[in-house]
Amino acid sequence: MAFFSAFSLLALYLSVSSLLPTSFSSCSLHTCQLSDACSSSDDCAAGLYCGNCPAAGKKQTSCSRAQAIQPASIVKGLPFNRYTWLVTHNSFSNVNEPSNTGVQRVTFYNQEDTVTNQLKNGIRGLMLDMYELDGDIWLCHSFQGQCYNFTAFEPAINTLKEVETFLTENPTEIVTIFIEDYVHTQMGLSKLFTNADLVKYLYPVSDMPANGKEWPTVTEMLAKNHRLIVFTSDSSKEASEGIAYQWRYLLENESGDPGMVPGSCPNRKESHPLNSGYASLFLQNYFPSIPVESEACKENSESLAQMVQACYNAAGNRMPNFIAVNFYMRSDGGGVFDIQDRINGLALCGCSTLAACQVGAPLGACKNTVPPSQTPTPGGNVYSGTLQFSFPSSSFSLQHVSDLTKLHAILLIIALLL
């Protein structure tokens, strides 16, 4: 009889288990770690979100990285151009941004959260397209080279004030802005940055290292409060407004589809050759000409890692200082954050990942890193938890899932005891 009861309960347990969502199989009784199956971001540990990547053949939702570890917080005191930072392409182009012009927006999108959230999650470079619209400077996509109310996102000062707030609240952080510049009003950009109260943080163009010379250390930049680096695509602005012309200080590969050809990393036409040594900063673009959200998780994973290698070879064994992507949080697990860690680990301390670097240790002296199932929580950064990706359809409500999870545990314990 006891055997029959145990057998019956075990059969009931297996029956109920078959009804439970598979996402609860690995961490239903504890906080989910990196790569664990999940059903929502609330299941995942700090610094992770719950998503999937069908484009890479991964339909099961699992915990993926949502935040960067800032390299200068691990390996301190090196020149700014020794580090690799993450950049969002068209940072302002947020799919959730409401219309600010009173008309329905008709354009494409490159990101899924606000600039504030991007900065909190570890993005340290912003690509902003600035146009003139209705007597003001707007962040905008163009239609036939022109900004319209149906392609505009918001006045540029709104985003710049977000940057100012972040820099004020985080006195050890440095942000770089890349402006695709279509502002023709005299002193328009200077007035914009003045009105946003960002001049106090600007790195002066007169101090910028030219001809491939090394940048000052991050420590020195923080001491002088030079924590905002701004580049413009308009060469005339350097002389007229004191804003650095991007390709005088930066090497850059092709953007869009030409920059995504496997094994190839040509320089952008405005840039000197990547292996020229002309400039001490290198920006690597990796995003398609037409952004597709569902493909970004694949692009931001192994494909990006392979392109980093191709660009490293093309640039004469030189790691990128900036990596620009669309939909930065979409990946098949570690994504751009893991790639950034691997680059910084190799470049800064000769280790396979940044987490293995040891303060003050010689090159190659690496510590044991956390297991693949765990991700260290980056200090000071907070994932908002508002970004959710698609999940498998289920006939269970959250309440049903919660109840069944408890029943799952109870039946298993009883079956094992009998």
Side-chain angles (χ1 to χ4, degrees):
M1 187 68 177
F3 172 77
F4 177 77
S5 298
F7 180 82
S8 299
L9 282 170
L10 185 57
L12 178 58
Y13 156 69
L14 293 173
S15 176
V16 172
S17 296
S18 68
L19 296 176
L20 288 169
T22 57
S23 59
F24 282 85
S25 61
S26 63
C27 56
S28 57
L29 301 178
H30 61 83
T31 303
C32 299
Q33 302 296 327
L34 182 65
S35 299
D36 283 345
C38 57
S39 68
S40 76
S41 292
D42 291 337
D43 297 334
C44 300
L48 305 176
Y49 72 91
C50 186
N52 59 358
C53 188
K58 297 184 177 181
K59 297 182 180 181
Q60 171 65 59
T61 54
S62 60
C63 294
S64 302
R65 285 188 64 176
Q67 296 178 326
I69 302 173
Q70 293 309 319
S73 70
I74 305 296
V75 181
K76 305 176 184 294
L78 297 183
F80 179 76
N81 58 292
R82 299 286 186 91
Y83 299 92
T84 296
W85 317 92
L86 295 179
V87 178
T88 44
H89 173 232
N90 289 336
S91 314
F92 61 93
S93 182
N94 175 11
V95 68
N96 296 307
E97 177 71 28
S99 171
N100 290 286
T101 62
V103 301
Q104 179 66 42
R105 189 182 299 114
V106 183
T107 188
F108 56 86
Y109 299 89
N110 304 90
Q111 304 301 332
E112 295 169 294
D113 57 351
T114 64
V115 163
T116 292
N117 208 52
Q118 292 171 32
L119 293 170
K120 286 182 177 180
N121 285 339
I123 297 299
R124 290 297 174 266
L126 306 173
M127 289 184 166
L128 305 177
D129 295 2
M130 295 190 182
Y131 290 81
E132 294 180 350
L133 178 68
D134 297 334
D136 202 353
I137 299 175
W138 280 66
L139 301 177
C140 190
H141 285 315
S142 66
F143 178 70
Q144 296 181 339
Q146 181 74 32
C147 176
Y148 294 92
N149 58 4
F150 60 86
T151 63
F153 282 81
E154 66 175 0
I157 193 168
N158 294 355
T159 293
L160 293 187
K161 285 183 176 179
E162 291 183 70
V163 175
E164 192 280 333
T165 297
F166 177 80
L167 288 173
T168 299
E169 294 177 351
N170 297 273
T172 62
E173 301 296 342
I174 298 171
V175 174
T176 304
I177 294 178
F178 305 88
I179 301 174
E180 191 169 320
D181 192 347
Y182 301 96
V183 177
H184 304 297
T185 299
Q186 187 176 10
M187 304 301 291
L189 285 187
S190 297
K191 293 177 183 176
L192 175 66
F193 280 87
T194 298
N195 292 338
D197 198 23
L198 280 171
V199 174
K200 61 191 175 188
Y201 296 126
L202 279 176
Y203 192 105
V205 68
S206 58
D207 290 352
M208 283 195 179
N211 302 316
K213 293 181 180 178
E214 198 146 78
W215 280 65
T217 66
V218 167
T219 304
E220 293 167 339
M221 292 172 67
L222 297 180
K224 294 182 178 181
N225 213 23
H226 292 165
R227 298 193 290 117
L228 179 64
I229 304 167
V230 181
F231 295 111
T232 173
S233 61
D234 185 340
S235 61
S236 69
K237 299 288 176 69
E238 184 162 326
S240 63
E241 300 191 47
I243 301 175
Y245 177 52
Q246 181 166 334
W247 295 289
R248 187 165 290 138
Y249 307 95
L250 196 80
L251 303 173
E252 183 178 359
N253 73 313
E254 276 281 15
S255 59
D257 292 346
M260 298 189 72
V261 178
S264 173
C265 189
N267 62 279
R268 184 167 175 159
K269 64 180 181 180
E270 297 92 341
S271 168
H272 282 73
L274 302 183
N275 61 357
S276 65
Y278 173 80
S280 51
L281 294 175
F282 170 29
L283 166 62
Q284 180 181 331
N285 298 298
Y286 194 69
F287 47 82
S289 300
I290 304 298
V292 180
E293 288 174 89
S294 61
E295 294 293 318
C297 64
K298 183 178 180 181
E299 296 161 0
N300 293 343
S301 300
E302 187 58 32
S303 296
L304 174 58
Q306 293 173 357
M307 187 55 69
V308 168
Q309 181 65 53
C311 287
Y312 174 80
N313 296 336
N317 298 337
R318 177 176 178 174
M319 295 292 191
N321 299 105
F322 303 99
I323 300 178
V325 298
N326 289 332
F327 307 114
Y328 71 102
M329 275 204 288
R330 288 187 177 252
S331 75
D332 64 2
V336 296
F337 306 109
D338 181 63
I339 291 170
Q340 180 194 27
D341 284 353
R342 287 152 61 186
I343 293 172
N344 279 315
L346 290 170
L348 302 179
C349 64
C351 300
S352 60
T353 181
L354 181 63
C357 296
Q358 300 190 83
V359 177
L363 194 70
C366 309
K367 63 182 178 182
N368 293 329
T369 57
V370 294
S373 61
Q374 298 179 2
T375 298
T377 302
N381 296 330
V382 179
Y383 173 57
S384 72
T386 59
L387 180 62
Q388 296 288 326
F389 300 132
S390 60
F391 300 112
S393 59
S394 172
S395 60
F396 296 100
S397 68
L398 288 178
Q399 182 61 45
H400 289 153
V401 167
S402 177
D403 291 342
L404 281 171
T405 301
K406 295 174 184 175
L407 180 59
H408 175 283
I410 293 169
L411 288 175
L412 177 58
I413 292 170
I414 295 174
L416 291 175
L417 289 174
L418 290 175

